Amino acid sequence: MNGQYLSGLAEFLWGIPMAVLHADASGWWIMLIGALVSSACSLIGCFLVLRRLSMLGDAISHAVLPGIVIAFLWSGSRDILPMLLGAGALGLLTAFMTDVLNRQGKLQTDAAIGVTFTWLFAIGVILLSKFASNVDIDLDCVLYGEILYAPFDTVLWGESDLGPRAVWVLAGVTLANAIFVVLGWKQLKVCAFDPGLAQSIGINVALWHYLLMGFTSISTVASFESVGAILVVAMLTVPANTAYLLTERLSHMIFIAIGVGIASSVGGYGLATVLDGSIAGAMATVSGLFFVMAALFSPRHGVVAGFIRRRRELTLEDAQS
Amino acid sequence: MPLIESLWAMLGGATEGLPPWIEFFTFSSINVIHVVLGCSLLGASAGAIGCFSFLRKRSLIGDALAHAALPGVCVAFMLTGTKNPLYFLLGAGASCWLGAVSVDAIVRYTRCKEDSALGMVLSVFFGVGILLLTYIQKTGDAAQSGLDHYLFGKAASLVESDVKLIAVVSLGVLGALVLAYKELKVISFDPDFAGAIGLPRRLVELMLATMIVLSVAIGLQAVGVVLMAALLVTPAAAARYWTDRLNIMLMLAAGIGAFSGFFGAYVSYLSPKMPTGPWIVVAVTSLFLASLMFAPRRGVLSRLMRHYRFRKKTARENVLRTLYLFGERADNWEQGYLLNEILHHRLMSTLELRRALYRLERNGLIVETPDHRFALTAAGVHAAARITRLHRLWELYLTRKLEIAPDHVHDDAEEIEHIITPELEKRLIADLGGPQWDPHEKHIPPVGGVA
């Protein structure tokens, strides 16, 4: 009985790398899209984690709903550009409202985020049921946005097929994020670790905050349109936190986070293929497993290492007394 | 309810039937009663319990746990194969609870911060949930359709058994909150102190988490994930503007939550196409915005008013001091001065000066002579001498005690002279030994007189 389960489990686990190795063209596109999303999100996510704004990705991905609905009503089509613009505007509005409530309204950050995005989301749902109930923008689409279909939405240039549109969009966003992080490295770093110091050495903290927010909302909007909100939220927080447990250097943290993100995309694809389930959900699941591993076994910050350290200190104390 | 109908008839309303916006209040439809009761009770219990997560700076836990319910709902369906709300509640509760424990464990055992823990629990649990959901859908079970709607909520479809469940759970949560009020209060404000006086800290925290989980689990079905998050954050945030006391804050938040639930039910009664949940959130956010603007003391308007009044007071005191300096220079306290002479000496707008002079005149500190000159009255000289005294005392204090150069102290004194209280003034005089001269060799007016 037990052996049967074990061999079943082994077969299941063996199936994951096999699924990856035997992936067809669209499978590789999906993994590439996942890798691009996780790179774009990790670049920004590390700074969000350090500034304790991890929930902002989740907030923005919900709060853009009214922007999408308004853009849809305005343009009367499901063209991607107006929707991206509408969503981007609402993303910035979320960051701005949160900041105003926090500063002018003297409301703590977490509550400011919560009040803002739930309100905007509610307005989005109301607009949707008032004006657009007979058209097909369903909430599932906004929340899950299936990565499975992303490879089939391709860019055509004349006669030739240039590959999935999502790949182009996300490669652009990843590149933009990378340039932003490289150019603003010093300022972002100081703002993340010590805003007080940043202020005193003449860095415009508010400006860099808003730039970071702007890139967060662009990344969020561009990503969830093709892969779904939940994967964006996962990729903004989980790889960055995994990396945070493994290193003390910001530059290493970013590279580790990107690595964890890419590994989660590949592993998630395999898992989803074996289970025949949602790919985005599986990618989020695998990234969660990476975090659990890091939390348990990180050499410096892991639970196991901490346990061993305490045991050793205890025996040393025993020896001394 | 015949009373409302007869009242409507007295007001001259149409005889055949009541208009919907009044008919609602007769509560004649059993469905209306269910929806109203369900939403209000939910709002009250979520609002009250949300205060504690607000105070612990974990407002978004409702959002995280509401997402974390999905895998539980899926597992409950996979195990039972039916869409019984009670099984869903159990499944959702169990996985929310696991989420809450995970958040606590991440914060306690790793160096990750609370917002990260919430974000990770939210996305990973929800990811697992979606994976399970799609797995169930692929297996093609006919009963599964609409499983995900559990997460988006549909208050208008609440039936009696749902309302009973909501009523029992939310009243239970409110009851537990009243019984354990003291313990929860200590945990929220000073967990270390709670540990020191021997409270079972972990147990109380677990109980609080369980109460939040229960509120989320019953709320999901009525209002959905995101809007449940709002019910846990926004009433507490609104209530905080009105009071510094926890018990009042709890009652206010519960009231705001209950009213919003009621309002949402009302709107979707009038316009059945309208979803209840979002209107609850719109109501609760409107109340929040009203609190943000109009609450006394902490509200934005009240703070702006204080700021404005302080600026006016500063302007008046500056005018008084300018007139004092003129009087001192001429050694004549009855002489009046023209508007331009004051403006020449003190940088302010004409309008600001006129307003200040008008108020000073009404307060009897200044008189306007027939040739439009302004002179201090006896009371005015007294008040002006006080401001000047404070200014010069502070300059002396800075130079003597902090050893700041005399040419660097004026600007600071210019600000502080409007703030120093009579008690502080006495201390300054005593500490400086009743001084006569300031660092610029100007006479410090003695208390109750002029130079």
Side-chain angles (χ1 to χ4, degrees):
Chain A
M1 187 68 190
N2 236 340
Q4 194 185 340
Y5 277 126
L6 271 182
S7 71
L9 185 66
E11 197 179 316
F12 172 75
L13 289 177
W14 180 242
I16 294 174
M18 283 301 107
V20 173
L21 286 177
H22 294 120
D24 54 5
S26 78
W28 287 108
W29 281 127
I30 288 172
M31 280 184 262
L32 180 62
I33 291 170
L36 284 172
V37 169
S38 52
S39 309
C41 290
S42 299
L43 278 166
I44 297 293
C46 288
F47 294 100
L48 291 183
V49 164
L50 291 173
R51 302 210 54 182
R52 307 192 178 188
L53 289 170
S54 298
M55 289 299 275
L56 214 72
D58 174 55
I60 288 177
S61 60
H62 287 101
V64 295
L65 182 61
I68 293 176
V69 179
I70 290 170
F72 172 77
L73 293 173
W74 193 300
S75 69
S77 71
R78 291 175 67 184
D79 276 350
I80 193 63
L81 193 67
M83 288 206 187
L84 269 187
L85 286 179
L90 260 288
L92 280 178
L93 179 69
T94 311
F96 178 72
M97 259 186 77
T98 305
D99 203 47
V100 167
L101 286 181
N102 186 216
R103 264 186 237 201
Q104 258 70 44
K106 311 274 180 210
L107 186 65
Q108 61 198 47
T109 319
D110 55 333
I113 293 177
V115 171
T116 307
F117 91 86
T118 53
W119 181 60
L120 289 171
F121 185 78
I123 290 178
V125 177
I126 289 172
L127 285 177
L128 204 58
S129 49
K130 177 82 187 163
F131 298 110
S133 54
N134 49 350
V135 289
D136 176 40
I137 329 178
D138 48 3
L139 290 179
D140 309 17
C141 226
V142 177
L143 284 181
Y144 307 163
E146 187 48 86
I147 192 173
L148 185 62
Y149 306 126
F152 305 112
D153 180 9
T154 55
V155 183
L156 292 175
W157 180 269
E159 291 294 294
S160 53
D161 186 342
L162 295 181
R165 194 171 45 81
V167 171
W168 288 97
V169 172
L170 289 168
V173 171
T174 310
L175 190 67
N177 286 355
I179 293 173
F180 170 62
V181 169
V182 169
L183 289 184
W185 180 253
K186 197 181 67 187
Q187 288 86 343
L188 286 170
K189 190 172 173 177
V190 182
C191 289
F193 286 105
D194 194 342
L197 175 69
Q199 192 90 53
S200 67
I201 60 176
I203 293 172
N204 189 339
V205 177
L207 173 76
W208 285 96
H209 175 76
Y210 275 107
L211 280 176
L212 185 63
M213 294 303 101
F215 276 90
T216 307
S217 62
I218 291 171
S219 312
T220 308
V221 171
S223 313
F224 87 56
E225 180 261 325
S226 43
V227 302
I230 204 62
L231 187 57
V232 180
V233 182
M235 289 304 163
L236 277 172
T237 50
V238 186
N241 274 296
T242 310
Y244 185 57
L245 294 177
L246 296 174
T247 177
E248 311 296 319
R249 291 185 65 92
L250 180 59
S251 51
H252 295 182
M253 181 176 162
I254 289 178
F255 283 114
I256 295 176
I258 293 175
V260 169
I262 293 175
S264 312
S265 310
V266 175
Y269 175 78
L271 179 63
T273 313
V274 172
L275 285 180
D276 193 15
S278 156
I279 297 170
M283 287 176 174
T285 308
V286 173
S287 72
L289 290 179
F290 278 117
F291 175 79
V292 173
M293 300 288 277
L296 290 178
F297 303 117
S298 158
R300 189 169 302 182
H301 301 291
V303 173
V304 174
F307 181 72
I308 293 173
R309 202 160 45 234
R310 266 197 304 282
R311 279 289 292 274
R312 198 174 292 153
E313 275 162 15
L314 272 182
T315 44
L316 275 179
E317 270 170 29
D318 290 345
Q320 280 166 349
S321 63
Chain B
M1 206 176 287
L3 175 66
I4 290 180
E5 276 157 27
S6 42
L7 269 177
W8 176 246
M10 265 168 60
L11 289 170
T15 42
E16 73 288 356
L18 295 169
W21 60 274
I22 292 184
E23 194 190 358
F24 176 81
F25 292 100
T26 61
F27 298 108
S28 50
S29 153
I30 189 79
N31 189 37
V32 172
I33 298 179
H34 287 154
V35 177
V36 166
L37 262 183
C39 294
S40 308
L41 278 172
L42 189 65
S45 70
I49 202 75
C51 291
F52 291 104
S53 43
F54 178 89
L55 290 174
R56 303 182 70 201
K57 301 229 178 337
R58 260 191 209 184
S59 296
L60 292 169
I61 192 151
D63 186 32
L65 296 188
H67 282 88
L70 182 60
V73 176
C74 292
V75 168
F77 178 77
M78 284 161 86
L79 291 180
T80 63
T82 58
K83 286 199 286 181
N84 185 326
L86 191 62
Y87 292 145
F88 278 5
L89 183 73
L90 287 177
S95 86
C96 279
W97 200 76
L98 198 63
V101 172
S102 307
V103 170
D104 265 343
I106 291 172
V107 174
R108 191 186 306 271
Y109 294 115
T110 76
R111 64 172 183 157
C112 295
K113 307 297 180 291
E114 312 220 309
D115 63 296
S116 295
L118 292 177
M120 288 195 289
V121 164
L122 181 155
S123 55
V124 173
F125 273 66
F126 200 70
V128 172
I130 290 179
L131 192 58
L132 291 174
L133 192 66
T134 45
Y135 180 73
I136 295 173
Q137 279 164 351
K138 294 272 166 58
T139 57
D141 195 328
Q144 55 77 28
S145 67
L147 195 57
D148 44 348
H149 286 276
Y150 187 76
L151 288 178
F152 295 115
K154 211 162 175 7
S157 66
L158 288 181
V159 293
E160 196 183 336
S161 60
D162 299 329
V163 174
K164 271 186 187 154
L165 199 61
I166 291 178
V168 168
V169 174
S170 51
L171 290 177
V173 165
L174 286 174
L177 199 153
V178 171
L179 286 179
Y181 174 69
K182 206 166 57 184
E183 285 76 8
L184 291 170
K185 184 176 177 179
V186 178
I187 282 285
S188 311
F189 284 105
D190 196 342
D192 291 332
F193 176 68
I197 60 172
L199 271 183
R201 183 176 154 181
R202 299 284 291 274
L203 196 70
V204 180
E205 282 180 347
L206 210 61
M207 188 183 131
L208 185 58
T210 309
M211 286 157 78
I212 296 175
V213 162
L214 284 173
S215 307
V216 170
I218 54 164
L220 279 180
Q221 193 193 0
V223 296
V225 173
V226 177
L227 309 174
M228 192 58 225
L231 277 184
L232 280 165
V233 185
T234 315
R240 181 67 186 89
Y241 281 103
W242 297 94
T243 176
D244 287 332
R245 300 188 57 84
L246 180 60
N247 47 6
I248 298 175
M249 182 178 164
L250 284 171
M251 284 185 262
L252 273 175
I256 290 172
F259 174 79
S260 307
F262 179 83
F263 182 83
Y266 184 52
V267 171
S268 66
Y269 177 79
L270 293 185
S271 169
K273 257 178 77 183
M274 281 294 164
T276 315
W279 278 104
I280 296 179
V281 176
V282 167
V284 78
T285 313
S286 306
L287 290 174
F288 164 80
L289 289 175
S291 312
L292 168 78
M293 295 311 290
F294 303 116
R297 291 206 322 108
R298 293 176 65 93
V300 169
L301 279 185
S302 148
R303 268 189 293 122
L304 282 180
M305 279 300 282
R306 270 206 302 280
H307 188 71
Y308 177 77
R309 281 205 207 103
F310 183 72
R311 270 190 49 193
K312 294 276 128 181
K313 176 171 165 276
T314 305
R316 288 200 301 276
E317 291 181 351
N318 283 341
V319 171
L320 284 177
R321 210 169 86 72
T322 305
L323 288 174
Y324 184 89
L325 292 178
F326 288 166
E328 195 177 45
R329 203 166 51 195
D331 201 14
N332 173 1
W333 302 98
E334 270 102 54
Q335 194 181 330
Y337 297 90
L338 287 169
L339 218 56
N340 275 339
E341 288 175 291
I342 301 173
L343 280 176
H344 190 69
H345 189 265
R346 171 71 62 175
L347 198 67
M348 61 201 305
S349 75
T350 318
L351 186 67
E352 213 178 351
L353 176 59
R354 279 186 192 284
R355 281 192 187 146
L357 286 171
Y358 175 73
R359 266 299 285 276
L360 286 169
E361 201 175 344
R362 252 192 18 193
N363 292 350
L365 299 176
I366 273 183
V367 284
E368 189 178 355
T369 58
D371 54 342
H372 299 298
R373 288 169 180 274
F374 297 91
L376 291 168
T377 61
V381 171
H382 191 79
R386 174 166 182 271
I387 298 296
T388 311
R389 180 163 63 244
L390 295 179
H391 182 97
R392 292 180 178 169
L393 277 173
W394 189 252
E395 287 187 336
L396 187 63
Y397 180 79
L398 287 183
T399 45
R400 204 188 278 176
K401 301 281 178 177
L402 300 182
E403 298 183 356
I404 295 174
D407 53 341
H408 279 65
V409 293
H410 176 78
D411 289 345
D412 197 38
E414 200 57 22
E415 286 180 18
I416 206 92
E417 68 191 22
H418 308 293
I419 298 169
I420 291 178
T421 58
E423 295 80 39
L424 211 55
E425 179 187 351
K426 273 186 203 134
R427 283 281 312 265
L428 275 175
I429 292 173
D431 280 7
L432 295 167
Q436 296 265 316
W437 303 96
D438 81 350
H440 307 111
E441 304 294 319
K442 296 253 181 72
H443 191 262
I444 299 178
V447 178
V450 294

